Amino acid sequence: MFTKKVKTLLAIALPIALAASVVVIAPASAGGTLTRTPGQEVSYAAYGAEYANVATTADGDDACSWYETSKKDYSGKTLRVLTHAIPNMGKPTALHAKQFEELTGGKVEVEHVSFGDLYAKQLRSYQTDTNQYDVVFNGSYQIGDFHSYYAKVPDSVTKGKGSLATLTPLYKELYKWDGETKLFGIDADRHFLKYRTDVYENAAAKAFYKSKTGKELAPPKTWKEYNLHAKTFNGYKAAGQPAGLKFSGTTEITQKGGLMFGAFIDRVAPYAKNPNVKGGFWFDENMVPQVNNPGFVAGLTDFIEATKYMPVGGKNFDLSKEIESFGRGDSLLSYTWDDAWSKSNEPTSPIKNKVKAAPLPGAEKVWNRVTKKWDTPKGGVNYAPYIAWGWSSAVTAASPAKAMAFDYLCFWANKANHKLDLTIGDMGVNPSRTEDFTSDFWVKEMNWGKPAVDSWLGTMQNYEKNTNRVFDLRVPGVSDYMTAMENAVAKALAGQATPQKALDEAAKEWKAITKRVGITKVKSAYQNVIALEDNIS
Amino acid sequence: MKKGYPRFFLLPGLLLLIAIIIFPLLFTIRVTFSSWNVSQSGLNFIGGENWGEMVRDTRYWSSLLRLFYLSFLTVAIQYVLGFAIALFAWKGIAARRFYRVLWLIPMMTTPSLMAIIWRSIFTEDIGALNGLLTRVGLDPVNWLTESGPANVAITIAEVWQWTPFMFLILLAGLLSLPKEPFMAAAIDGASAWKTFARVTFPMMAPISIGAIMIRLIDASKIFDSVFTLTRGGPGNATETPAAYIFQRSLQDFQIAYGSTLALMYLILAILTLTIIGKVFARLSKPRGI
């Protein structure tokens, strides 16, 4: 009797246990063709020759890992994605779309457009209520224009095992609007100085500089010093200069429409961001534009002078040209985004291990818009790093496929993908999470030189703590403001107007934009920027 | 009923006209009296504010002046070169058919693609042209970052692309000319130059005017080469109205103001080209008749 009962019990229990064990150990594959097991190695090698030499890494344990994503079934569903042209951001978007399709069975339609079109196409979709996209990529500074069209990022993504849980505190704030996370932060940028160590750490170069200027050579602390170094070493034969390549003083973004406004902000920030003046860097309390104040004019004057020490064609460099030029060894100094840094650290770079990072130069005086006088900074130099916008993404509020859209973005930015994307220079993904700021990863896995990595990570950590920072003008119409400013700077760089006259024109245009958009609307949005500038949590 | 019946057949054409020309035009006019912009979409009414702003917009008027210079200069060069090449191809040369096709290739290429190729040639650091100049011991030229060279670069790109159009029209004209006047000139012992000046050129005048007018209409919209080569820079040194309107409307998203600029641009283009057409027509009339 007992044996019969046991036999019956076993007959029922065994198949159940067997089935359960199969469910637990079997590779997951709900809707897609790709099956995954927990912790399985992630490799991009199957996605084209360009990924053949990319490192591999173990799948993460996060909520959107390859394994977890493979459990989802989006067969028959389609996601419409608007992203930037390949490679910057366009490359990872397309790559992760293909992987997501293989894992979930869903379809991801990716539209690649130029940076200007990213803004215009989104706006057109929202203003005409045509709801053309589920997922959009953008510059995070456009949040002022678009936040009302974006869905709130779920807590499951920003907390616990979510992809964005370990974003640094600064960037967690940057991706919020009125306390709600609206942007899916896949990147985090800041501008910093890049300098060639085969000059700055070379005895002959130091002696040369001293003989020319009577001063000791060290990475520039002010923009005046930056220009002096650029001038002194323009045409110099640097010890590690690639053969046949002329050495110039500086490589910068100078092209109108090529993100030159970012370079300009770097140069004016320390002259115009006074740590003792609260309540607005871009506008004063009455919304009077500050774009033509003496601080801005001083920065522009330096910018114009630097054009004399740029490589051939340097007066027409957009961001990609800046990256290419500094990355191949054209110049002593450069600044702005991380990309030129990554480029110069790539295995094939002729200046690998010859570049270090430092905070952006400061200024020996800073304009006080309240007293209308120049102040002498404490310690002799005013530093005001520009925490530049980075790539971000969002799920549109009107999307009929929000869950799939967030799953796609969450997969896009999962631990394994983020780690691998960081290693590819032209992906446009830069360190943004606490785990990215450990030198081990860069030194051991990326084979970057430790002194260089330490200088870079130290610079970024310095920015996290700095309390005199400049942020983008995250208000409605930001593109109009930036275009007007860029146009004025371009005129001054081309010698068509003096710095003061050009910036006066920009200020006039800014007043018109504010009037057009609505002073109340702009002022209200600007309070979010002031909160960041003045460190009001 | 019978009287109106034929008119019924005009209806599809009329509806199409309304849909693709009349409605958009009227809508654009209406938009110019609104403040449609990046943060305010829709048709509110703000009176003539945009028109007033346009009158004060020196950047717009400068771009129009630049357009006059660029379009007249490029079309003039295209005409001279196109005529020369057409004469060359008209007179029996070896492999005539091959050359005719060869000369047409620039025109058959997509303008924006062509502009990208020209940009790679003019690019100052790694461009072919500066590479060539330095090889022969000359200093590189700032083709895209100095006002003068930038305008030269755009002129070269435009002339290269559109001279074949002139060539095509003028060659067709030359081939259609009657033989008798040339025979008479030959019997009278006229030199090649005199034959050209007194026979060929006058007989080609109506065709030339047609070709010039078509090219002027097209040149008044110069955009691809400007946007791709210089983006209107350095500063605003090469900015044309089309480039400026593109920026205002589709990059800054000032739909209402951009529409105002575009409408004024259309009015000025129609007026100017009508006047030019009339002047040409008067000039081409045989004297003494």
Side-chain angles (χ1 to χ4, degrees), chain A residues 6 77 179 213 217 233 379 387 511 514:
Chain A
V6 169
K77 291 187 177 165
T213 65
L217 182 65
F233 289 103
I387 308 301
K511 281 181 189 164
T514 308

mmCIF file of all heavy atoms in Angstrom, chain A residues 6 77 179 213 217 233 379 387 511 514:
data_model
loop_
_atom_site.group_PDB
_atom_site.id
_atom_site.type_symbol
_atom_site.label_atom_id
_atom_site.label_comp_id
_atom_site.label_asym_id
_atom_site.label_seq_id
_atom_site.Cartn_x
_atom_site.Cartn_y
_atom_site.Cartn_z
ATOM 1 N N VAL A 6 3.736 5.696 -2.575
ATOM 2 C CA VAL A 6 5.009 6.359 -2.927
ATOM 3 C C VAL A 6 5.184 6.409 -4.442
ATOM 4 O O VAL A 6 5.579 7.428 -5.023
ATOM 5 C CB VAL A 6 6.203 5.623 -2.261
ATOM 6 C CG1 VAL A 6 7.533 6.126 -2.819
ATOM 7 C CG2 VAL A 6 6.164 5.833 -0.771
ATOM 8 N N LYS A 77 5.265 42.957 -32.368
ATOM 9 C CA LYS A 77 5.189 44.372 -31.961
ATOM 10 C C LYS A 77 6.357 45.166 -32.564
ATOM 11 O O LYS A 77 7.433 44.617 -32.789
ATOM 12 C CB LYS A 77 5.225 44.478 -30.445
ATOM 13 C CG LYS A 77 3.954 43.922 -29.824
ATOM 14 C CD LYS A 77 3.910 44.182 -28.359
ATOM 15 C CE LYS A 77 2.583 43.663 -27.806
ATOM 16 N NZ LYS A 77 2.593 43.547 -26.362
ATOM 17 N N GLY A 179 11.643 67.476 -10.477
ATOM 18 C CA GLY A 179 11.716 66.353 -9.547
ATOM 19 C C GLY A 179 11.413 64.989 -10.143
ATOM 20 O O GLY A 179 11.596 63.971 -9.481
ATOM 21 N N THR A 213 59.389 82.324 -22.643
ATOM 22 C CA THR A 213 58.448 83.123 -21.833
ATOM 23 C C THR A 213 58.984 83.502 -20.452
ATOM 24 O O THR A 213 58.413 84.336 -19.768
ATOM 25 C CB THR A 213 57.142 82.338 -21.607
ATOM 26 O OG1 THR A 213 57.439 81.187 -20.813
ATOM 27 C CG2 THR A 213 56.498 81.920 -22.915
ATOM 28 N N LEU A 217 56.756 75.562 -17.243
ATOM 29 C CA LEU A 217 55.669 74.938 -18.006
ATOM 30 C C LEU A 217 54.892 73.942 -17.142
ATOM 31 O O LEU A 217 55.468 73.032 -16.559
ATOM 32 C CB LEU A 217 56.240 74.214 -19.237
ATOM 33 C CG LEU A 217 55.215 73.548 -20.145
ATOM 34 C CD1 LEU A 217 54.293 74.581 -20.800
ATOM 35 C CD2 LEU A 217 55.900 72.717 -21.231
ATOM 36 N N PHE A 233 53.968 76.863 -28.607
ATOM 37 C CA PHE A 233 54.272 75.545 -29.186
ATOM 38 C C PHE A 233 53.673 75.335 -30.580
ATOM 39 O O PHE A 233 53.769 74.244 -31.123
ATOM 40 C CB PHE A 233 53.822 74.442 -28.227
ATOM 41 C CG PHE A 233 54.691 74.351 -26.999
ATOM 42 C CD1 PHE A 233 54.262 74.863 -25.786
ATOM 43 C CD2 PHE A 233 55.957 73.794 -27.076
ATOM 44 C CE1 PHE A 233 55.073 74.796 -24.664
ATOM 45 C CE2 PHE A 233 56.776 73.725 -25.954
ATOM 46 C CZ PHE A 233 56.338 74.232 -24.739
ATOM 47 N N GLY A 379 42.210 82.757 -4.351
ATOM 48 C CA GLY A 379 43.230 81.826 -4.860
ATOM 49 C C GLY A 379 43.793 82.264 -6.203
ATOM 50 O O GLY A 379 44.653 81.585 -6.762
ATOM 51 N N ILE A 387 29.365 71.788 -17.273
ATOM 52 C CA ILE A 387 28.874 70.404 -17.268
ATOM 53 C C ILE A 387 28.001 70.270 -18.511
ATOM 54 O O ILE A 387 26.795 70.498 -18.476
ATOM 55 C CB ILE A 387 28.080 70.098 -15.979
ATOM 56 C CG1 ILE A 387 28.904 70.475 -14.745
ATOM 57 C CG2 ILE A 387 27.664 68.634 -15.944
ATOM 58 C CD1 ILE A 387 30.244 69.761 -14.603
ATOM 59 N N LYS A 511 16.710 88.607 -26.414
ATOM 60 C CA LYS A 511 15.517 89.306 -25.895
ATOM 61 C C LYS A 511 14.311 88.983 -26.769
ATOM 62 O O LYS A 511 13.211 88.743 -26.264
ATOM 63 C CB LYS A 511 15.758 90.818 -25.880
ATOM 64 C CG LYS A 511 16.598 91.269 -24.693
ATOM 65 C CD LYS A 511 16.766 92.783 -24.729
ATOM 66 C CE LYS A 511 17.781 93.208 -23.675
ATOM 67 N NZ LYS A 511 18.279 94.561 -23.880
ATOM 68 N N THR A 514 13.145 85.432 -26.060
ATOM 69 C CA THR A 514 12.429 85.363 -24.782
ATOM 70 C C THR A 514 11.020 85.912 -24.943
ATOM 71 O O THR A 514 10.053 85.329 -24.426
ATOM 72 C CB THR A 514 13.194 86.156 -23.696
ATOM 73 O OG1 THR A 514 14.538 85.705 -23.677
ATOM 74 C CG2 THR A 514 12.574 85.967 -22.330
#
